[in-house]
Amino acid sequence: MRKTTKRRAPRSEYTSPNQLSLSGFETPFYNQLAPSNRWVVLSKQIPWDDLVNMYSKRNPPKATGRPALNPRVLIGAVII
């Protein structure tokens, strides 16, 4: 009997907030949030890259099962 392997869904990779962006390719919410919004201000103060690296070391990706969420989503949910 042949063992079948499960195909994984595409995983959304973490993108650093320090990555350069091209104008015209922003998300729909990018232009709608005010820079003075308290959540926007807080998100700029959080060291996302450091937190994602620590999270990824403690929770490495698995070879099977449902793909993981973007670590920034998980960390943001804990902060909220």
Side-chain angles (χ1 to χ4, degrees):
M1 187 184 264
R2 186 174 178 204
K3 184 178 180 182
T4 60
T5 58
K6 295 181 182 179
R7 291 182 57 200
R8 296 189 72 189
R11 182 179 138 166
S12 63
E13 295 293 326
Y14 170 72
T15 304
S16 173
N18 298 325
Q19 181 176 347
L20 296 176
S21 62
L22 299 173
S23 62
F25 291 95
E26 296 90 6
T27 64
F29 300 109
Y30 183 78
N31 296 325
Q32 295 177 357
L33 294 174
S36 61
N37 182 307
R38 64 182 176 163
W39 296 108
V40 174
V41 172
L42 178 63
S43 73
K44 291 181 181 180
Q45 296 175 351
I46 296 173
W48 291 109
D49 293 336
D50 297 335
L51 291 174
V52 168
N53 286 335
M54 288 188 321
Y55 176 83
S56 297
K57 286 180 185 176
R58 304 265 305 160
N59 300 303
K62 307 277 191 235
T64 60
R66 184 171 191 258
L69 289 174
N70 184 334
R72 187 170 169 162
V73 173
L74 298 171
I75 295 166
V78 169
I79 292 170
I80 290 173

